[in-house]
Amino acid sequence: MDVRRTLPQRARTLIGAWCFADHYGPIDVPAIGGMDLPPHPHTGLQTVSWLFSGDIEHRDSLGTHAPIRTGELNLMTGGHGIAHSEVSTADTMVLHGVQLWVALPEADREATRDFQHHVPEPVQIDGAELRVFLGSLGGETSPVRTFTPLLGAQIDVEPHTTVTLSVDPGFEHGLLVDAGDVLLDDAAIRPAELGYVPSGVETLTITNRSDGPARTILLGGPPFEEEIVMWWNFIARDHDEIVRAREDWEAASDRFGVVEGYAGRRLPAPALPDVVITPRRNPPRRTDQASA
């Protein structure tokens, strides 16, 4: 699969508590194959799955067996530890979407396993359609529980249209462009790029300069002040925590549980690097406007 990792990157580790954004597809499944991700572990995070097209079968060690469908949110919490698998369905012809992670704050890093599903209603505003899957935007609020304030929404903008949205000035924001020639405020954001706006603004302006509709994902949250250590599928606070999590997974401990129903072996952990894994840090706080 062709996967574009837009977060973390050298310029930015977090946007709010959002710490990971993989953008994939559109993938011609009959031609090159789809998704087949064996059971694998997570710690210290929530996973957010969101599809533009296709369907994925989700199984986890909480006992959940649920579809991930286009325009429907699946959010899984793996604080102390959880495992899950993801496999595109046999009838999926085109697979296209984003996989997002949210870092859990210190007080909730050992949260118990949980799974939530939500189907946001499309909301029409002048020149755009919103699907708010986390937080609040455009008068819509998602009921999905998170451990820090967050915003997550798909925003589709009509051709040659400008939309201005009221946002929480305490949030910083990132706009991932999937399709379209887009301006975020005055900054050009190309497809597969992530634009960033620091906290302190009360509105965001999105302009679609293309002849077709623009599809974007807006992420937001108050700046996450804690440093995190990310390695493989684990989020921790120091190197030793990563080592213990890897050892627990390789030992098949009860920490991560068992994923029932997956036809195959679970995913082994890669070897640790020969260096101490250090915390990821955001650059110093910025006060200017949108940038790509």
Side-chain angles (χ1 to χ4, degrees), residues 36-39 59 85-87 259-266:
D36 187 354
L37 192 56
R59 297 177 185 269
S85 65
E86 292 176 304
V87 180
V259 178
E260 302 286 354
Y262 177 81
R265 297 182 178 180
R266 64 189 207 139

Side-chain angles (χ1 to χ4, degrees), residues 23-232:
H23 175 213
Y24 55 88
I27 297 162
D28 184 345
V29 174
I32 66 172
M35 179 183 292
D36 187 354
L37 192 56
H40 59 280
H42 287 293
T43 61
L45 56 75
Q46 292 182 301
T47 64
V48 176
S49 299
W50 184 260
L51 290 173
F52 305 133
S53 65
D55 293 291
I56 294 172
E57 182 181 44
H58 166 99
R59 297 177 185 269
D60 64 38
S61 54
L62 188 65
T64 309
H65 179 203
I68 304 172
R69 300 189 181 98
T70 302
E72 299 185 6
L73 172 75
N74 279 14
L75 182 145
M76 183 185 74
T77 301
H80 181 66
I82 197 169
H84 72 137
S85 65
E86 292 176 304
V87 180
S88 52
T89 60
D91 60 351
T92 291
M93 297 293 103
V94 177
L95 189 61
H96 189 188
V98 291
Q99 180 68 47
L100 310 166
W101 293 359
V102 178
L104 294 180
E106 180 65 32
D108 302 296
R109 290 201 298 124
E110 296 295 312
T112 57
R113 301 168 191 163
D114 191 28
F115 181 86
Q116 300 174 74
H117 175 77
H118 174 56
V119 183
E121 289 291 334
V123 176
Q124 303 294 328
I125 61 174
D126 288 341
E129 181 179 83
L130 311 180
R131 288 179 172 86
V132 182
F133 51 85
L134 287 178
S136 298
L137 184 70
E140 291 296 307
T141 298
S142 167
V144 177
R145 303 179 305 278
T146 58
F147 292 89
T148 56
L150 291 172
L151 170 62
Q154 178 176 326
I155 304 174
D156 297 341
V157 184
E158 295 174 3
H160 302 290
T161 298
T162 295
V163 175
T164 298
L165 299 166
S166 296
V167 294
D168 189 327
F171 283 20
E172 53 187 0
H173 294 87
L175 187 75
L176 173 62
V177 175
D178 176 65
D181 178 7
V182 171
L183 288 178
L184 174 58
D185 293 335
D186 295 323
I189 314 295
R190 295 176 297 183
E193 289 186 340
L194 180 69
Y196 173 75
V197 179
S199 57
V201 302
E202 296 183 349
T203 61
L204 294 177
T205 299
I206 303 171
T207 301
N208 177 13
R209 302 186 294 183
S210 51
D211 294 332
R215 179 161 54 201
T216 69
I217 294 290
L218 180 62
L219 306 175
F224 193 80
E225 303 295 349
E226 301 174 30
E227 293 184 344
I228 61 173
V229 174
M230 292 180 62
W231 180 82
W232 195 39

Side-chain angles (χ1 to χ4, degrees), residues 213-281:
R215 179 161 54 201
T216 69
I217 294 290
L218 180 62
L219 306 175
F224 193 80
E225 303 295 349
E226 301 174 30
E227 293 184 344
I228 61 173
V229 174
M230 292 180 62
W231 180 82
W232 195 39
N233 299 310
F234 305 133
I235 295 181
R237 293 301 186 271
D238 59 44
H239 178 88
D240 291 342
E241 287 184 10
I242 296 290
V243 172
R244 287 193 296 273
R246 183 187 182 278
E247 290 174 346
D248 288 345
W249 174 249
E250 291 296 277
S253 78
D254 292 339
R255 176 176 182 177
F256 297 103
V258 176
V259 178
E260 302 286 354
Y262 177 81
R265 297 182 178 180
R266 64 189 207 139
L267 194 66
L272 283 163
D274 293 327
V275 296
V276 174
I277 306 168
T278 56
R280 296 175 181 265
R281 300 177 176 89

